[in-house]
């Protein structure tokens, strides 16, 4: 069973940086994708960034150039480095994973929350202006 646990959320001022982490267990598959999603109060959950088991990644337009997704396979940990943070980045950030039959058919490449199979409980990121 795949289990995900986020950490590292907090409060920072606009323009600052923050790194959130996701400790993964049970994800032993050769083909997978992991990503970060966020949900602001009153809004739908949206995809932020995805990393694939082949090392490639994808980002939402709203965070391109500011956020970087990475993974440390030795530590089974997923990271999201967030720079130049804006108040509109305020949200609960969730780690998620999908184990698709192939990366070509994975729904995670569309940053679609509905396609993710496993979820963490989230970590809150608050950006003040």
């Amino acid at each position: 069973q795949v289990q995900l646990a986020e950490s590292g959320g907090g409060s920072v001022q606009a323009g600052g940086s923050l790194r959130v982490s996701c400790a993964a267990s049970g994800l032993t598959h050769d083909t997978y994708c992991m990503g970060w999603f966020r949900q602001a109060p009153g809004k739908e959950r949206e995809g932020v960034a995805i990393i694939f088991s082949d090392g490639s990644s994808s980002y939402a337009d709203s965070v391109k150039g500011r956020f970087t997704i990475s993974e440390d396979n030795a530590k089974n940990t997923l990271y999201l480095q967030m720079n130049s943070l804006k108040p509109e980045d305020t949200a609960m950030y969730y780690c998620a994973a999908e184990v698709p039959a192939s990366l070509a058919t994975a729904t995670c490449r569309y940053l679609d929350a509905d396609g993710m199979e496993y979820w963490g409980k989230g970590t809150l990121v608050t950006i003040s202006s």
Side-chain angles (χ1 to χ4, degrees):
Q1 180 71 9
V2 176
Q3 294 185 323
L4 306 171
E6 303 92 339
S7 61
S11 299
V12 297
Q13 290 190 327
S17 298
L18 198 64
R19 187 179 77 165
V20 290
S21 303
C22 172
S25 62
L27 191 62
T28 59
H29 311 78
D30 292 332
T31 302
Y32 64 87
C33 50
M34 294 186 70
W36 291 95
F37 293 75
R38 66 186 182 186
Q39 187 166 19
K43 294 188 176 181
E44 292 187 355
R45 193 169 297 190
E46 64 173 354
V48 175
I50 290 284
I51 192 165
F52 303 93
S53 48
D54 64 359
S56 61
S57 57
S58 179
Y59 295 88
D61 288 343
S62 59
V63 306
K64 280 181 181 177
R66 299 189 299 123
F67 290 11
T68 302
I69 190 171
S70 63
E71 61 180 346
D72 184 333
N73 290 326
K75 296 182 179 180
N76 296 320
T77 303
L78 180 74
Y79 301 101
L80 183 69
Q81 177 67 43
M82 302 181 287
N83 299 327
S84 301
L85 284 160
K86 305 175 181 180
E88 51 264 43
D89 294 318
T90 294
M92 186 71 80
Y93 282 71
Y94 297 91
C95 174
E98 179 188 356
V99 181
S102 72
L103 294 183
T105 60
T107 57
C108 61
R109 62 178 54 253
Y110 304 107
L111 291 171
D112 183 0
D114 290 340
M116 306 307 287
E117 300 173 73
Y118 306 99
W119 290 89
K121 294 183 178 180
T123 186
L124 182 62
V125 172
T126 304
I127 312 302
S128 58
S129 58

